[in-house]
Amino acid sequence: EAEVAQSPRYKITEKSQAVAFWCDPISGHATLYWYRQILGQGPELLVQFQDESVVDDSQLPKDRFSAERLKGVDSTLKIQPAELGDSAMYLCASSFGRTSMNTEAFFGQGTRLTVV
Amino acid sequence: GNSVTQMEGPVTLSEEAFLTINCTYTATGYPSLFWYVQYPGEGLQLLLKATKADDKGSNKGFEATYRKETTSFHLEKGSVQVSDSAVYFCALRVGAAGNKLTFGGGTRVLVKP
């Protein structure tokens, strides 16, 4: 069964260090999303790609966060420098459709980041 | 803007009890509505969805009806099992907003044997 792959599953990093997460969406899925889920809250969108282009990064803290999807397939989310408040679950999701809102978004298992 | 409000948990139930989780929304446009479930340490799984008013989504004994007049999408299950213990998220998606999902805060459900 096709699934969204994320790595690492868990990451502990010190404050002010750089950290990166990787996501491989389901093959053929044009749209890729990165969400941040703070403990006890619902996920919030950080960035959305359609193919290799950014569609929405309005909630991405661009002073420290960056995301790329160079070939329109896998994607990397980077934080530099990490802050204590960045501790959260980072979820990647993908969907097949480009414009249809009825296509299902499939989520990966997430990367749990702890900043110490 | 778009937002989802769902009842706060935790909701603690005995096995075979009836479960209801309330969800209401505000949206600019005509949303599709979703319920996702998250088991401990895992990502989100789509539980059910409804794309237009009066549609009923159903899966694994769970049901939710899209009520446009009350802007609600309450989740129900007639007889819960211990394996239903998880966090449940209500979400909406509006095409004009780039198809991104907007989530509620989640409701933790604990089913005791």
mmCIF file of all heavy atoms in Angstrom, chain B residues 6-22 35-40 47 62 75-77 79-89 105-112:
data_model
loop_
_atom_site.group_PDB
_atom_site.id
_atom_site.type_symbol
_atom_site.label_atom_id
_atom_site.label_comp_id
_atom_site.label_asym_id
_atom_site.label_seq_id
_atom_site.Cartn_x
_atom_site.Cartn_y
_atom_site.Cartn_z
ATOM 1 N N GLN B 6 -14.214 22.312 17.854
ATOM 2 C CA GLN B 6 -14.735 21.029 18.306
ATOM 3 C C GLN B 6 -14.636 20.941 19.810
ATOM 4 O O GLN B 6 -13.843 21.629 20.445
ATOM 5 C CB GLN B 6 -14.039 19.855 17.625
ATOM 6 C CG GLN B 6 -12.547 19.799 17.778
ATOM 7 C CD GLN B 6 -11.946 18.628 17.000
ATOM 8 O OE1 GLN B 6 -11.273 18.821 15.986
ATOM 9 N NE2 GLN B 6 -12.159 17.417 17.491
ATOM 10 N N MET B 7 -15.479 20.080 20.360
ATOM 11 C CA MET B 7 -15.544 19.976 21.806
ATOM 12 C C MET B 7 -14.217 19.511 22.372
ATOM 13 O O MET B 7 -13.500 18.714 21.775
ATOM 14 C CB MET B 7 -16.667 19.021 22.214
ATOM 15 C CG MET B 7 -16.533 17.622 21.693
ATOM 16 S SD MET B 7 -18.002 16.644 22.010
ATOM 17 C CE MET B 7 -17.904 16.410 23.770
ATOM 18 N N GLU B 8 -13.905 20.068 23.544
ATOM 19 C CA GLU B 8 -12.655 19.711 24.179
ATOM 20 C C GLU B 8 -12.808 18.370 24.877
ATOM 21 O O GLU B 8 -13.868 18.020 25.373
ATOM 22 C CB GLU B 8 -12.258 20.788 25.184
ATOM 23 C CG GLU B 8 -11.835 22.095 24.526
ATOM 24 C CD GLU B 8 -11.220 23.053 25.525
ATOM 25 O OE1 GLU B 8 -10.838 22.613 26.614
ATOM 26 O OE2 GLU B 8 -11.148 24.248 25.201
ATOM 27 N N GLY B 9 -11.711 17.665 24.943
ATOM 28 C CA GLY B 9 -11.713 16.404 25.667
ATOM 29 C C GLY B 9 -10.989 16.556 26.972
ATOM 30 O O GLY B 9 -10.755 17.673 27.434
ATOM 31 N N PRO B 10 -10.621 15.474 27.589
ATOM 32 C CA PRO B 10 -10.863 14.136 27.060
ATOM 33 C C PRO B 10 -12.292 13.662 27.304
ATOM 34 O O PRO B 10 -12.949 14.097 28.231
ATOM 35 C CB PRO B 10 -9.860 13.268 27.826
ATOM 36 C CG PRO B 10 -9.686 13.990 29.125
ATOM 37 C CD PRO B 10 -9.814 15.451 28.819
ATOM 38 N N VAL B 11 -12.734 12.815 26.402
ATOM 39 C CA VAL B 11 -14.012 12.147 26.552
ATOM 40 C C VAL B 11 -13.715 10.715 26.984
ATOM 41 O O VAL B 11 -13.019 9.990 26.284
ATOM 42 C CB VAL B 11 -14.795 12.152 25.226
ATOM 43 C CG1 VAL B 11 -16.072 11.337 25.365
ATOM 44 C CG2 VAL B 11 -15.101 13.581 24.785
ATOM 45 N N THR B 12 -14.226 10.344 28.129
ATOM 46 C CA THR B 12 -13.990 9.002 28.662
ATOM 47 C C THR B 12 -15.294 8.232 28.636
ATOM 48 O O THR B 12 -16.312 8.712 29.152
ATOM 49 C CB THR B 12 -13.431 9.059 30.092
ATOM 50 O OG1 THR B 12 -12.221 9.838 30.078
ATOM 51 C CG2 THR B 12 -13.115 7.660 30.596
ATOM 52 N N LEU B 13 -15.245 7.057 28.024
ATOM 53 C CA LEU B 13 -16.452 6.248 27.842
ATOM 54 C C LEU B 13 -16.166 4.803 28.229
ATOM 55 O O LEU B 13 -15.018 4.361 28.184
ATOM 56 C CB LEU B 13 -16.888 6.249 26.378
ATOM 57 C CG LEU B 13 -17.178 7.582 25.712
ATOM 58 C CD1 LEU B 13 -17.205 7.390 24.202
ATOM 59 C CD2 LEU B 13 -18.503 8.112 26.200
ATOM 60 N N SER B 14 -17.221 4.077 28.509
ATOM 61 C CA SER B 14 -17.112 2.634 28.665
ATOM 62 C C SER B 14 -17.361 1.966 27.322
ATOM 63 O O SER B 14 -18.037 2.527 26.444
ATOM 64 C CB SER B 14 -18.137 2.133 29.680
ATOM 65 O OG SER B 14 -17.871 2.682 30.954
ATOM 66 N N GLU B 15 -16.803 0.794 27.166
ATOM 67 C CA GLU B 15 -17.005 0.034 25.935
ATOM 68 C C GLU B 15 -18.500 -0.143 25.670
ATOM 69 O O GLU B 15 -19.290 -0.314 26.602
ATOM 70 C CB GLU B 15 -16.336 -1.333 26.059
ATOM 71 C CG GLU B 15 -15.833 -1.899 24.754
ATOM 72 C CD GLU B 15 -14.865 -3.048 24.953
ATOM 73 O OE1 GLU B 15 -14.837 -3.622 26.055
ATOM 74 O OE2 GLU B 15 -14.129 -3.363 24.016
ATOM 75 N N GLU B 16 -18.875 -0.042 24.399
ATOM 76 C CA GLU B 16 -20.260 -0.173 23.915
ATOM 77 C C GLU B 16 -21.105 1.071 24.175
ATOM 78 O O GLU B 16 -22.287 1.078 23.837
ATOM 79 C CB GLU B 16 -20.946 -1.417 24.490
ATOM 80 C CG GLU B 16 -20.237 -2.720 24.105
ATOM 81 C CD GLU B 16 -20.978 -3.952 24.607
ATOM 82 O OE1 GLU B 16 -22.029 -3.798 25.247
ATOM 83 O OE2 GLU B 16 -20.490 -5.063 24.355
ATOM 84 N N ALA B 17 -20.535 2.105 24.719
ATOM 85 C CA ALA B 17 -21.279 3.352 24.913
ATOM 86 C C ALA B 17 -21.406 4.098 23.594
ATOM 87 O O ALA B 17 -20.703 3.813 22.613
ATOM 88 C CB ALA B 17 -20.588 4.226 25.954
ATOM 89 N N PHE B 18 -22.311 5.103 23.584
ATOM 90 C CA PHE B 18 -22.536 5.940 22.403
ATOM 91 C C PHE B 18 -21.599 7.142 22.456
ATOM 92 O O PHE B 18 -21.463 7.783 23.501
ATOM 93 C CB PHE B 18 -23.993 6.418 22.384
ATOM 94 C CG PHE B 18 -24.372 7.176 21.151
ATOM 95 C CD1 PHE B 18 -24.819 6.513 20.023
ATOM 96 C CD2 PHE B 18 -24.280 8.562 21.115
ATOM 97 C CE1 PHE B 18 -25.165 7.219 18.876
ATOM 98 C CE2 PHE B 18 -24.616 9.277 19.969
ATOM 99 C CZ PHE B 18 -25.072 8.602 18.854
ATOM 100 N N LEU B 19 -20.966 7.433 21.323
ATOM 101 C CA LEU B 19 -20.022 8.538 21.262
ATOM 102 C C LEU B 19 -20.550 9.634 20.342
ATOM 103 O O LEU B 19 -21.011 9.352 19.221
ATOM 104 C CB LEU B 19 -18.674 8.054 20.716
ATOM 105 C CG LEU B 19 -17.646 9.131 20.365
ATOM 106 C CD1 LEU B 19 -17.159 9.840 21.626
ATOM 107 C CD2 LEU B 19 -16.465 8.533 19.606
ATOM 108 N N THR B 20 -20.463 10.871 20.818
ATOM 109 C CA THR B 20 -20.718 12.039 19.988
ATOM 110 C C THR B 20 -19.603 13.040 20.214
ATOM 111 O O THR B 20 -19.273 13.342 21.362
ATOM 112 C CB THR B 20 -22.053 12.723 20.330
ATOM 113 O OG1 THR B 20 -23.123 11.820 20.099
ATOM 114 C CG2 THR B 20 -22.267 13.952 19.468
ATOM 115 N N ILE B 21 -19.047 13.549 19.141
ATOM 116 C CA ILE B 21 -18.073 14.634 19.214
ATOM 117 C C ILE B 21 -18.616 15.773 18.349
ATOM 118 O O ILE B 21 -18.816 15.610 17.147
ATOM 119 C CB ILE B 21 -16.683 14.228 18.703
ATOM 120 C CG1 ILE B 21 -16.166 13.013 19.469
ATOM 121 C CG2 ILE B 21 -15.708 15.399 18.853
ATOM 122 C CD1 ILE B 21 -14.837 12.481 18.945
ATOM 123 N N ASN B 22 -18.838 16.905 18.989
ATOM 124 C CA ASN B 22 -19.415 18.039 18.270
ATOM 125 C C ASN B 22 -18.357 18.802 17.494
ATOM 126 O O ASN B 22 -17.230 19.000 17.963
ATOM 127 C CB ASN B 22 -20.103 18.998 19.241
ATOM 128 C CG ASN B 22 -21.365 18.401 19.830
ATOM 129 O OD1 ASN B 22 -21.960 17.495 19.255
ATOM 130 N ND2 ASN B 22 -21.773 18.887 20.985
ATOM 131 N N TRP B 35 -13.384 14.140 8.967
ATOM 132 C CA TRP B 35 -12.936 13.697 10.278
ATOM 133 C C TRP B 35 -11.695 12.838 10.086
ATOM 134 O O TRP B 35 -11.702 11.904 9.272
ATOM 135 C CB TRP B 35 -14.006 12.883 11.009
ATOM 136 C CG TRP B 35 -15.008 13.732 11.708
ATOM 137 C CD1 TRP B 35 -16.257 14.069 11.285
ATOM 138 C CD2 TRP B 35 -14.846 14.370 12.980
ATOM 139 N NE1 TRP B 35 -16.880 14.869 12.205
ATOM 140 C CE2 TRP B 35 -16.042 15.073 13.263
ATOM 141 C CE3 TRP B 35 -13.814 14.419 13.921
ATOM 142 C CZ2 TRP B 35 -16.226 15.805 14.436
ATOM 143 C CZ3 TRP B 35 -13.999 15.151 15.077
ATOM 144 C CH2 TRP B 35 -15.197 15.837 15.334
ATOM 145 N N TYR B 36 -10.637 13.213 10.828
ATOM 146 C CA TYR B 36 -9.405 12.444 10.846
ATOM 147 C C TYR B 36 -9.222 11.846 12.232
ATOM 148 O O TYR B 36 -9.646 12.421 13.234
ATOM 149 C CB TYR B 36 -8.199 13.326 10.518
ATOM 150 C CG TYR B 36 -8.003 13.615 9.050
ATOM 151 C CD1 TYR B 36 -8.720 14.629 8.421
ATOM 152 C CD2 TYR B 36 -7.107 12.866 8.290
ATOM 153 C CE1 TYR B 36 -8.549 14.890 7.069
ATOM 154 C CE2 TYR B 36 -6.921 13.119 6.939
ATOM 155 C CZ TYR B 36 -7.644 14.137 6.337
ATOM 156 O OH TYR B 36 -7.466 14.389 5.006
ATOM 157 N N VAL B 37 -8.528 10.703 12.295
ATOM 158 C CA VAL B 37 -8.221 10.065 13.566
ATOM 159 C C VAL B 37 -6.709 9.906 13.691
ATOM 160 O O VAL B 37 -6.020 9.635 12.698
ATOM 161 C CB VAL B 37 -8.953 8.704 13.702
ATOM 162 C CG1 VAL B 37 -8.570 7.739 12.581
ATOM 163 C CG2 VAL B 37 -8.684 8.076 15.061
ATOM 164 N N GLN B 38 -6.218 10.121 14.893
ATOM 165 C CA GLN B 38 -4.782 10.002 15.160
ATOM 166 C C GLN B 38 -4.570 9.087 16.349
ATOM 167 O O GLN B 38 -4.958 9.412 17.476
ATOM 168 C CB GLN B 38 -4.180 11.376 15.426
ATOM 169 C CG GLN B 38 -2.666 11.373 15.564
ATOM 170 C CD GLN B 38 -2.100 12.776 15.712
ATOM 171 O OE1 GLN B 38 -2.683 13.635 16.354
ATOM 172 N NE2 GLN B 38 -0.943 13.023 15.108
ATOM 173 N N TYR B 39 -3.937 7.948 16.095
ATOM 174 C CA TYR B 39 -3.599 7.021 17.166
ATOM 175 C C TYR B 39 -2.261 7.446 17.775
ATOM 176 O O TYR B 39 -1.472 8.137 17.125
ATOM 177 C CB TYR B 39 -3.560 5.598 16.627
ATOM 178 C CG TYR B 39 -4.907 5.145 16.103
ATOM 179 C CD1 TYR B 39 -5.179 5.132 14.735
ATOM 180 C CD2 TYR B 39 -5.924 4.784 16.986
ATOM 181 C CE1 TYR B 39 -6.419 4.752 14.258
ATOM 182 C CE2 TYR B 39 -7.171 4.401 16.506
ATOM 183 C CZ TYR B 39 -7.408 4.396 15.147
ATOM 184 O OH TYR B 39 -8.649 4.042 14.678
ATOM 185 N N PRO B 40 -1.987 7.059 18.998
ATOM 186 C CA PRO B 40 -0.782 7.519 19.701
ATOM 187 C C PRO B 40 0.489 7.359 18.875
ATOM 188 O O PRO B 40 0.780 6.279 18.370
ATOM 189 C CB PRO B 40 -0.762 6.645 20.949
ATOM 190 C CG PRO B 40 -2.189 6.312 21.192
ATOM 191 C CD PRO B 40 -2.812 6.161 19.834
ATOM 192 N N LEU B 47 -10.904 9.420 8.383
ATOM 193 C CA LEU B 47 -11.943 8.532 8.891
ATOM 194 C C LEU B 47 -13.171 8.582 7.983
ATOM 195 O O LEU B 47 -13.694 7.562 7.569
ATOM 196 C CB LEU B 47 -12.319 8.937 10.315
ATOM 197 C CG LEU B 47 -13.351 8.095 11.028
ATOM 198 C CD1 LEU B 47 -12.922 6.642 11.137
ATOM 199 C CD2 LEU B 47 -13.651 8.673 12.406
ATOM 200 N N PHE B 62 -18.555 4.731 12.329
ATOM 201 C CA PHE B 62 -18.669 6.170 12.591
ATOM 202 C C PHE B 62 -19.497 6.831 11.490
ATOM 203 O O PHE B 62 -19.439 6.427 10.336
ATOM 204 C CB PHE B 62 -17.281 6.838 12.618
ATOM 205 C CG PHE B 62 -16.438 6.471 13.800
ATOM 206 C CD1 PHE B 62 -15.610 5.370 13.759
ATOM 207 C CD2 PHE B 62 -16.476 7.240 14.949
ATOM 208 C CE1 PHE B 62 -14.821 5.024 14.853
ATOM 209 C CE2 PHE B 62 -15.693 6.917 16.045
ATOM 210 C CZ PHE B 62 -14.866 5.802 15.993
ATOM 211 N N LEU B 75 -19.587 14.031 14.870
ATOM 212 C CA LEU B 75 -19.195 12.634 14.693
ATOM 213 C C LEU B 75 -19.924 11.764 15.710
ATOM 214 O O LEU B 75 -19.984 12.113 16.892
ATOM 215 C CB LEU B 75 -17.682 12.487 14.876
ATOM 216 C CG LEU B 75 -17.102 11.096 14.661
ATOM 217 C CD1 LEU B 75 -17.198 10.686 13.192
ATOM 218 C CD2 LEU B 75 -15.648 11.050 15.131
ATOM 219 N N GLU B 76 -20.429 10.610 15.250
ATOM 220 C CA GLU B 76 -21.157 9.707 16.137
ATOM 221 C C GLU B 76 -20.748 8.264 15.882
ATOM 222 O O GLU B 76 -20.422 7.893 14.751
ATOM 223 C CB GLU B 76 -22.678 9.836 15.929
ATOM 224 C CG GLU B 76 -23.230 11.202 16.259
ATOM 225 C CD GLU B 76 -24.741 11.269 16.048
ATOM 226 O OE1 GLU B 76 -25.270 10.467 15.255
ATOM 227 O OE2 GLU B 76 -25.388 12.125 16.675
ATOM 228 N N LYS B 77 -20.805 7.495 16.958
ATOM 229 C CA LYS B 77 -20.662 6.040 16.834
ATOM 230 C C LYS B 77 -21.538 5.406 17.887
ATOM 231 O O LYS B 77 -21.514 5.787 19.060
ATOM 232 C CB LYS B 77 -19.216 5.589 16.998
ATOM 233 C CG LYS B 77 -19.054 4.082 16.724
ATOM 234 C CD LYS B 77 -17.614 3.621 16.739
ATOM 235 C CE LYS B 77 -17.538 2.152 16.330
ATOM 236 N NZ LYS B 77 -16.163 1.598 16.354
ATOM 237 N N SER B 79 -21.588 2.299 19.238
ATOM 238 C CA SER B 79 -21.054 1.368 20.232
ATOM 239 C C SER B 79 -19.531 1.353 20.096
ATOM 240 O O SER B 79 -18.991 0.717 19.191
ATOM 241 C CB SER B 79 -21.629 -0.034 20.010
ATOM 242 O OG SER B 79 -21.076 -0.963 20.919
ATOM 243 N N VAL B 80 -18.869 2.068 20.996
ATOM 244 C CA VAL B 80 -17.420 2.218 20.859
ATOM 245 C C VAL B 80 -16.682 1.010 21.439
ATOM 246 O O VAL B 80 -17.194 0.291 22.306
ATOM 247 C CB VAL B 80 -16.910 3.504 21.539
ATOM 248 C CG1 VAL B 80 -17.453 4.729 20.813
ATOM 249 C CG2 VAL B 80 -17.278 3.535 23.020
ATOM 250 N N GLN B 81 -15.474 0.820 20.923
ATOM 251 C CA GLN B 81 -14.593 -0.240 21.393
ATOM 252 C C GLN B 81 -13.316 0.378 21.955
ATOM 253 O O GLN B 81 -12.995 1.543 21.662
ATOM 254 C CB GLN B 81 -14.242 -1.181 20.231
ATOM 255 C CG GLN B 81 -15.454 -1.774 19.534
ATOM 256 C CD GLN B 81 -16.311 -2.580 20.480
ATOM 257 O OE1 GLN B 81 -15.816 -3.415 21.237
ATOM 258 N NE2 GLN B 81 -17.622 -2.336 20.447
ATOM 259 N N VAL B 82 -12.590 -0.410 22.721
ATOM 260 C CA VAL B 82 -11.335 0.083 23.288
ATOM 261 C C VAL B 82 -10.407 0.576 22.179
ATOM 262 O O VAL B 82 -9.686 1.574 22.337
ATOM 263 C CB VAL B 82 -10.659 -1.004 24.134
ATOM 264 C CG1 VAL B 82 -9.273 -0.571 24.569
ATOM 265 C CG2 VAL B 82 -11.513 -1.340 25.360
ATOM 266 N N SER B 83 -10.441 -0.095 21.052
ATOM 267 C CA SER B 83 -9.576 0.261 19.923
ATOM 268 C C SER B 83 -9.934 1.606 19.291
ATOM 269 O O SER B 83 -9.177 2.116 18.449
ATOM 270 C CB SER B 83 -9.638 -0.828 18.851
ATOM 271 O OG SER B 83 -10.975 -1.012 18.422
ATOM 272 N N ASP B 84 -11.055 2.192 19.674
ATOM 273 C CA ASP B 84 -11.432 3.520 19.178
ATOM 274 C C ASP B 84 -10.757 4.643 19.975
ATOM 275 O O ASP B 84 -10.924 5.821 19.639
ATOM 276 C CB ASP B 84 -12.951 3.704 19.233
ATOM 277 C CG ASP B 84 -13.694 2.791 18.284
ATOM 278 O OD1 ASP B 84 -13.174 2.529 17.183
ATOM 279 O OD2 ASP B 84 -14.791 2.315 18.657
ATOM 280 N N SER B 85 -10.021 4.294 20.983
ATOM 281 C CA SER B 85 -9.307 5.298 21.774
ATOM 282 C C SER B 85 -8.270 5.994 20.889
ATOM 283 O O SER B 85 -7.378 5.344 20.332
ATOM 284 C CB SER B 85 -8.613 4.646 22.974
ATOM 285 O OG SER B 85 -9.555 4.070 23.847
ATOM 286 N N ALA B 86 -8.401 7.285 20.753
ATOM 287 C CA ALA B 86 -7.545 8.045 19.832
ATOM 288 C C ALA B 86 -7.911 9.524 19.976
ATOM 289 O O ALA B 86 -8.774 9.889 20.774
ATOM 290 C CB ALA B 86 -7.768 7.589 18.394
ATOM 291 N N VAL B 87 -7.244 10.345 19.171
ATOM 292 C CA VAL B 87 -7.624 11.756 19.073
ATOM 293 C C VAL B 87 -8.312 11.969 17.729
ATOM 294 O O VAL B 87 -7.812 11.525 16.690
ATOM 295 C CB VAL B 87 -6.402 12.694 19.187
ATOM 296 C CG1 VAL B 87 -6.842 14.148 19.118
ATOM 297 C CG2 VAL B 87 -5.658 12.432 20.490
ATOM 298 N N TYR B 88 -9.437 12.628 17.759
ATOM 299 C CA TYR B 88 -10.247 12.839 16.563
ATOM 300 C C TYR B 88 -10.223 14.325 16.193
ATOM 301 O O TYR B 88 -10.438 15.199 17.042
ATOM 302 C CB TYR B 88 -11.681 12.361 16.804
ATOM 303 C CG TYR B 88 -11.761 10.874 16.977
ATOM 304 C CD1 TYR B 88 -11.491 10.287 18.216
ATOM 305 C CD2 TYR B 88 -12.078 10.034 15.913
ATOM 306 C CE1 TYR B 88 -11.516 8.906 18.387
ATOM 307 C CE2 TYR B 88 -12.124 8.651 16.073
ATOM 308 C CZ TYR B 88 -11.841 8.103 17.303
ATOM 309 O OH TYR B 88 -11.874 6.730 17.467
ATOM 310 N N PHE B 89 -9.965 14.583 14.910
ATOM 311 C CA PHE B 89 -9.883 15.954 14.411
ATOM 312 C C PHE B 89 -10.940 16.183 13.339
ATOM 313 O O PHE B 89 -11.036 15.423 12.375
ATOM 314 C CB PHE B 89 -8.507 16.232 13.788
ATOM 315 C CG PHE B 89 -7.380 16.238 14.762
ATOM 316 C CD1 PHE B 89 -6.653 15.086 15.013
ATOM 317 C CD2 PHE B 89 -7.037 17.401 15.437
ATOM 318 C CE1 PHE B 89 -5.598 15.087 15.920
ATOM 319 C CE2 PHE B 89 -5.988 17.421 16.347
ATOM 320 C CZ PHE B 89 -5.274 16.262 16.582
ATOM 321 N N GLY B 105 -9.101 21.684 17.102
ATOM 322 C CA GLY B 105 -8.070 21.411 18.092
ATOM 323 C C GLY B 105 -7.935 19.957 18.503
ATOM 324 O O GLY B 105 -6.995 19.597 19.208
ATOM 325 N N GLY B 106 -8.872 19.128 18.068
ATOM 326 C CA GLY B 106 -8.804 17.710 18.398
ATOM 327 C C GLY B 106 -9.551 17.370 19.678
ATOM 328 O O GLY B 106 -9.649 18.187 20.604
ATOM 329 N N THR B 107 -10.092 16.159 19.717
ATOM 330 C CA THR B 107 -10.791 15.656 20.905
ATOM 331 C C THR B 107 -10.237 14.282 21.233
ATOM 332 O O THR B 107 -10.310 13.372 20.400
ATOM 333 C CB THR B 107 -12.308 15.545 20.657
ATOM 334 O OG1 THR B 107 -12.829 16.822 20.299
ATOM 335 C CG2 THR B 107 -13.016 15.032 21.915
ATOM 336 N N ARG B 108 -9.660 14.158 22.418
ATOM 337 C CA ARG B 108 -9.128 12.860 22.835
ATOM 338 C C ARG B 108 -10.271 12.016 23.380
ATOM 339 O O ARG B 108 -11.054 12.466 24.229
ATOM 340 C CB ARG B 108 -8.047 13.035 23.888
ATOM 341 C CG ARG B 108 -7.433 11.721 24.360
ATOM 342 C CD ARG B 108 -6.266 11.963 25.310
ATOM 343 N NE ARG B 108 -5.187 12.713 24.663
ATOM 344 C CZ ARG B 108 -4.271 12.156 23.878
ATOM 345 N NH1 ARG B 108 -4.300 10.857 23.629
ATOM 346 N NH2 ARG B 108 -3.333 12.899 23.345
ATOM 347 N N VAL B 109 -10.336 10.786 22.897
ATOM 348 C CA VAL B 109 -11.362 9.828 23.356
ATOM 349 C C VAL B 109 -10.663 8.642 24.001
ATOM 350 O O VAL B 109 -9.736 8.072 23.416
ATOM 351 C CB VAL B 109 -12.238 9.365 22.178
ATOM 352 C CG1 VAL B 109 -13.170 8.246 22.619
ATOM 353 C CG2 VAL B 109 -13.027 10.547 21.610
ATOM 354 N N LEU B 110 -11.093 8.318 25.181
ATOM 355 C CA LEU B 110 -10.554 7.162 25.894
ATOM 356 C C LEU B 110 -11.705 6.214 26.201
ATOM 357 O O LEU B 110 -12.664 6.593 26.886
ATOM 358 C CB LEU B 110 -9.868 7.596 27.183
ATOM 359 C CG LEU B 110 -9.317 6.473 28.074
ATOM 360 C CD1 LEU B 110 -8.274 5.662 27.323
ATOM 361 C CD2 LEU B 110 -8.747 7.043 29.361
ATOM 362 N N VAL B 111 -11.600 4.996 25.670
ATOM 363 C CA VAL B 111 -12.639 3.988 25.903
ATOM 364 C C VAL B 111 -12.085 2.951 26.861
ATOM 365 O O VAL B 111 -11.046 2.334 26.604
ATOM 366 C CB VAL B 111 -13.067 3.317 24.586
ATOM 367 C CG1 VAL B 111 -14.155 2.282 24.852
ATOM 368 C CG2 VAL B 111 -13.553 4.365 23.589
ATOM 369 N N LYS B 112 -12.799 2.766 27.959
ATOM 370 C CA LYS B 112 -12.357 1.814 28.977
ATOM 371 C C LYS B 112 -13.144 0.516 28.858
ATOM 372 O O LYS B 112 -14.338 0.543 28.563
ATOM 373 C CB LYS B 112 -12.542 2.423 30.356
ATOM 374 C CG LYS B 112 -11.666 3.645 30.594
ATOM 375 C CD LYS B 112 -11.797 4.154 32.017
ATOM 376 C CE LYS B 112 -10.815 5.294 32.271
ATOM 377 N NZ LYS B 112 -10.918 5.807 33.662
#
